Amino acid sequence: MWALLSSVALLLVVRSGHALTGRTAFAPAAPLTPRGGTSASVVRRAHVRRGVRMEGETLDQWMTAQNISPSLQSTLTALFAACKEIGYKVRTASCNKISCFNQFGDEQLAVDVLANKILFDQFEACDNIATASSEEEPIEKDVGGRADDVYSVAFDPLDGSSIVDTNFAVGTIFGVWPGTKLTGIKGSEMVAGGLCTYGPRTSMSIAIDGVEGAHEFLLVDDYTGLHGSWVHAATFTAIDSGKLFAPGNLRATQDNPGYNELFNYWLGNKYQLRYTGGMVPDVNQLLIKGKGVYVTPSSPSCPSKLRLLYEVAPLGYLIEKGGGMSSDGEKSVLEIPITTTDVRTQCAYGSEEEVERFNTLVGTKYAAALTPAA
Ligand code: AFP
């Protein structure tokens, strides 16, 4: 009885705290601090109340413990807040045969357009973000951050928009660079990069400069009506050899003999096919499973459509920090100069052994024509 009463009391405190602050369910930066408790204590007590024990620090606790600078913390908080909202919009979208839509204000917007808007809105409200560029709007856009310490963010707001109607997992990809520029840079200069997966669960995989490994955060229900809290769930430090393959741009096997040979190697050696056609879950599985390989090679008739700034470099940063390797056929994708927002490249991610095999069999024979002149 006492347990039931205290549960109800906790719920009321949380609800009234939310109502008093007048914040929306997806408000960014400031953590919820209801009277009589911190956000962290609310999350922990709420889980215990339902008999579910979620271990792990909240996002704020974790970032502070990792000594991440306040300016980068506020940048990442804006990103996590946007992804939480996009996850909710994807979960609650309605779809026809071509697209999925959701409400934004009084408008019906396709979810990829909505995701783009949500990210820009969050970034414009963050004084530490100076420039942002989206695969949907491939320009360097001044988003108003004027703090002493500023960052620039490149992102693909909803990768896999062609599979969102089939309810496959989709995701957001992002890279964060110091300063105000998103061209004339390299992936190796990133200070954070990662992806958010909107699948049965909403999860964030992120790597941050100065923090060892790659890290997974899960969006868990905190029973506050705020659509969940981010909790640190896992650390990834190794991608080992293992017979799992994800073959992107498979049509290129028809006129890239090296890719054809690589594909036949996987089949002949009884590798396990794990490919959804969504780059976010297809690459993220390498961290989760701790093994395997993802490739998108080019061929004369089917060049890779993947963009270095919005997809290839951020995922290369994540995979390399998570203990794996990336390549464009000969070198790390983090070493390719990002001369324009439109540079495209083939790529491979995975264990050292698998990526070396990609370099040997696929190499760069059909990669040269990919990068448009600066
Ligand atoms: P969409 O956003 O247009 O659906 O493209 C997604 C994507 O760029 C990437 O997420 C996939 O890895 C790739 O396309 C899959 O395409 P193919 O396997 O047909 O090359």
Side-chain angles (χ1 to χ4, degrees), residues 98-132:
I98 302 156
S99 258
C100 296
F101 298 88
N102 215 316
Q103 207 76 23
F104 191 90
D106 289 333
E107 277 181 285
Q108 277 282 355
L109 293 182
V111 279
D112 51 350
V113 177
L114 185 50
N116 195 50
K117 183 164 174 38
I118 289 168
L119 281 152
F120 272 117
D121 285 354
Q122 285 285 354
F123 294 164
E124 278 162 12
C126 176
D127 205 30
N128 291 101
I129 305 180
T131 307

Coordinates of all heavy atoms in Angstrom, one line a residue, residues 98-132:
I98 N 4.4 5.6 -50.5 CA 5.6 6.3 -50.8 C 6.3 7.0 -49.7 O 7.5 6.9 -49.5 CB 5.3 7.4 -51.9 CG1 4.6 6.8 -53.1 CG2 6.5 8.2 -52.3 CD1 3.7 7.7 -53.9
S99 N 5.6 7.5 -48.8 CA 6.2 8.3 -47.7 C 5.4 8.2 -46.4 O 4.3 7.7 -46.4 CB 6.1 9.8 -48.1 OG 7.3 10.3 -48.6
C100 N 6.1 8.7 -45.3 CA 5.4 8.7 -44.0 C 5.4 10.2 -43.6 O 6.3 11.0 -43.8 CB 6.2 7.9 -43.0 SG 6.3 6.2 -43.4
F101 N 4.3 10.5 -42.9 CA 4.0 11.9 -42.6 C 3.7 12.1 -41.1 O 3.3 11.1 -40.4 CB 2.8 12.4 -43.3 CG 3.0 12.4 -44.8 CD1 2.7 11.3 -45.6 CD2 3.5 13.5 -45.5 CE1 2.9 11.3 -46.9 CE2 3.7 13.5 -46.8 CZ 3.4 12.4 -47.6
N102 N 4.0 13.3 -40.6 CA 3.6 13.6 -39.2 C 3.3 15.0 -39.1 O 3.7 15.8 -40.0 CB 4.7 13.1 -38.2 CG 4.1 12.6 -37.0 OD1 3.2 13.2 -36.4 ND2 4.6 11.5 -36.5
Q103 N 2.7 15.4 -38.0 CA 2.2 16.7 -37.8 C 3.4 17.6 -37.2 O 4.1 17.1 -36.3 CB 1.1 16.7 -36.8 CG 0.1 17.8 -36.8 CD -0.8 17.6 -38.0 OE1 -1.0 16.5 -38.5 NE2 -1.4 18.7 -38.5
F104 N 3.5 18.8 -37.7 CA 4.5 19.7 -37.1 C 3.7 21.1 -37.1 O 3.5 21.7 -38.1 CB 5.8 19.9 -37.9 CG 6.8 20.6 -37.2 CD1 7.7 20.0 -36.4 CD2 6.9 22.0 -37.4 CE1 8.7 20.7 -35.7 CE2 7.9 22.7 -36.7 CZ 8.8 22.0 -35.9
G105 N 3.4 21.5 -35.9 CA 2.5 22.7 -35.8 C 1.2 22.3 -36.5 O 0.6 21.3 -36.2
D106 N 0.8 23.1 -37.5 CA -0.4 22.8 -38.2 C -0.2 22.1 -39.6 O -1.1 21.8 -40.3 CB -1.2 24.1 -38.6 CG -1.8 24.7 -37.3 OD1 -2.0 23.9 -36.4 OD2 -1.9 25.9 -37.2
E107 N 1.1 21.8 -39.8 CA 1.5 21.2 -41.1 C 1.6 19.7 -41.1 O 2.0 19.2 -40.1 CB 2.8 21.8 -41.6 CG 2.8 23.1 -42.2 CD 4.3 23.5 -42.6 OE1 5.1 23.9 -41.7 OE2 4.6 23.4 -43.8
Q108 N 1.3 19.1 -42.2 CA 1.7 17.7 -42.4 C 3.0 17.6 -43.1 O 3.1 18.2 -44.2 CB 0.7 17.0 -43.3 CG -0.6 16.5 -42.6 CD -0.4 15.2 -41.8 OE1 0.7 14.6 -41.9 NE2 -1.4 14.8 -41.1
L109 N 4.0 17.1 -42.6 CA 5.3 17.0 -43.2 C 5.8 15.6 -43.4 O 5.6 14.8 -42.5 CB 6.4 17.8 -42.5 CG 6.2 19.3 -42.3 CD1 7.4 19.9 -41.6 CD2 6.2 20.0 -43.7
A110 N 6.5 15.3 -44.5 CA 7.1 14.0 -44.6 C 8.2 13.9 -43.5 O 8.8 14.9 -43.1 CB 7.8 13.9 -46.0
V111 N 8.3 12.7 -42.9 CA 9.2 12.6 -41.7 C 10.6 13.0 -41.9 O 11.3 13.5 -41.0 CB 9.1 11.2 -41.0 CG1 7.9 11.0 -40.2 CG2 9.3 10.1 -42.0
D112 N 11.2 12.8 -43.2 CA 12.5 13.2 -43.4 C 12.7 14.7 -43.4 O 13.6 15.3 -42.8 CB 13.2 12.6 -44.6 CG 12.3 12.8 -45.9 OD1 11.2 13.2 -45.8 OD2 12.8 12.5 -47.0
V113 N 11.6 15.4 -43.9 CA 11.6 16.9 -43.9 C 11.4 17.4 -42.5 O 12.1 18.3 -42.0 CB 10.5 17.4 -44.8 CG1 10.4 18.9 -44.7 CG2 10.7 16.9 -46.2
L114 N 10.6 16.7 -41.7 CA 10.4 17.0 -40.3 C 11.6 16.8 -39.5 O 12.0 17.7 -38.7 CB 9.2 16.1 -39.8 CG 8.7 16.4 -38.4 CD1 8.4 17.8 -38.2 CD2 7.5 15.5 -38.2
A115 N 12.3 15.7 -39.7 CA 13.6 15.4 -39.0 C 14.6 16.5 -39.2 O 15.3 17.0 -38.3 CB 14.1 14.1 -39.4
N116 N 14.7 17.0 -40.5 CA 15.6 18.1 -40.9 C 15.2 19.3 -40.1 O 16.1 20.0 -39.5 CB 15.4 18.3 -42.4 CG 16.5 19.1 -42.9 OD1 17.7 18.9 -42.7 ND2 16.2 20.2 -43.7
K117 N 14.0 19.6 -40.0 CA 13.5 20.9 -39.3 C 13.8 20.8 -37.8 O 14.2 21.7 -37.2 CB 12.0 21.0 -39.6 CG 11.4 22.3 -39.0 CD 10.1 22.6 -39.6 CE 9.4 23.8 -39.0 NZ 10.2 24.9 -38.6
I118 N 13.5 19.6 -37.2 CA 13.7 19.4 -35.8 C 15.2 19.7 -35.5 O 15.5 20.3 -34.5 CB 13.3 18.0 -35.4 CG1 11.7 17.9 -35.4 CG2 13.8 17.7 -34.0 CD1 11.2 16.5 -35.3
L119 N 16.1 19.1 -36.3 CA 17.5 19.3 -36.0 C 17.9 20.8 -36.1 O 18.6 21.3 -35.2 CB 18.4 18.4 -36.9 CG 18.4 16.9 -36.5 CD1 18.6 16.0 -37.7 CD2 19.5 16.7 -35.5
F120 N 17.5 21.4 -37.2 CA 17.8 22.8 -37.3 C 17.3 23.7 -36.2 O 17.9 24.6 -35.7 CB 17.4 23.4 -38.7 CG 18.4 23.2 -39.8 CD1 18.1 22.4 -40.9 CD2 19.6 23.8 -39.7 CE1 19.1 22.2 -41.9 CE2 20.6 23.7 -40.7 CZ 20.3 22.9 -41.8
D121 N 16.0 23.4 -35.8 CA 15.4 24.1 -34.7 C 16.3 24.0 -33.4 O 16.5 25.0 -32.7 CB 14.0 23.7 -34.4 CG 13.0 24.2 -35.5 OD1 13.5 25.0 -36.4 OD2 11.9 23.8 -35.5
Q122 N 16.7 22.8 -33.1 CA 17.5 22.6 -31.9 C 18.8 23.3 -32.0 O 19.3 23.9 -31.0 CB 17.7 21.1 -31.7 CG 16.5 20.3 -31.1 CD 16.2 20.6 -29.7 OE1 17.0 21.3 -29.0 NE2 15.1 20.0 -29.2
F123 N 19.4 23.2 -33.2 CA 20.7 23.9 -33.3 C 20.6 25.4 -33.2 O 21.5 26.0 -32.7 CB 21.4 23.4 -34.7 CG 21.7 22.0 -34.7 CD1 22.0 21.4 -35.9 CD2 21.7 21.2 -33.6 CE1 22.3 20.0 -36.0 CE2 22.0 19.8 -33.6 CZ 22.3 19.2 -34.8
E124 N 19.6 25.9 -33.8 CA 19.4 27.4 -33.7 C 19.2 27.9 -32.3 O 19.5 29.0 -32.0 CB 18.2 27.8 -34.6 CG 18.7 27.9 -36.1 CD 17.5 27.9 -37.1 OE1 16.3 28.1 -36.6 OE2 17.8 27.8 -38.3
A125 N 18.7 27.0 -31.4 CA 18.5 27.4 -30.0 C 19.8 27.1 -29.2 O 19.8 27.4 -28.0 CB 17.4 26.6 -29.4
C126 N 20.9 26.7 -29.8 CA 22.1 26.3 -29.0 C 23.2 27.4 -29.4 O 23.6 27.4 -30.5 CB 22.5 24.9 -29.4 SG 24.1 24.5 -28.6
D127 N 23.7 28.1 -28.4 CA 24.6 29.1 -28.7 C 26.0 28.6 -29.0 O 26.9 29.4 -29.4 CB 24.7 30.1 -27.4 CG 25.2 31.5 -27.9 OD1 24.9 31.9 -29.0 OD2 25.9 32.1 -27.1
N128 N 26.2 27.3 -28.8 CA 27.5 26.7 -29.1 C 27.6 26.1 -30.5 O 28.6 25.6 -30.9 CB 27.9 25.6 -28.1 CG 28.2 26.2 -26.8 OD1 27.3 26.2 -25.9 ND2 29.3 26.8 -26.6
I129 N 26.5 26.2 -31.3 CA 26.5 25.7 -32.7 C 26.5 26.8 -33.7 O 25.5 27.6 -33.7 CB 25.4 24.7 -32.9 CG1 25.4 23.5 -31.9 CG2 25.5 24.1 -34.3 CD1 24.4 22.5 -32.0
A130 N 27.6 27.0 -34.4 CA 27.7 28.1 -35.3 C 27.1 27.8 -36.7 O 26.4 28.6 -37.3 CB 29.1 28.6 -35.4
T131 N 27.5 26.6 -37.2 CA 27.2 26.3 -38.6 C 26.6 24.9 -38.6 O 27.0 24.0 -37.8 CB 28.4 26.3 -39.5 OG1 29.1 27.5 -39.3 CG2 28.2 26.0 -40.9
A132 N 25.6 24.7 -39.5 CA 25.0 23.3 -39.6 C 24.8 23.1 -41.1 O 24.5 24.0 -41.9 CB 23.7 23.2 -38.9

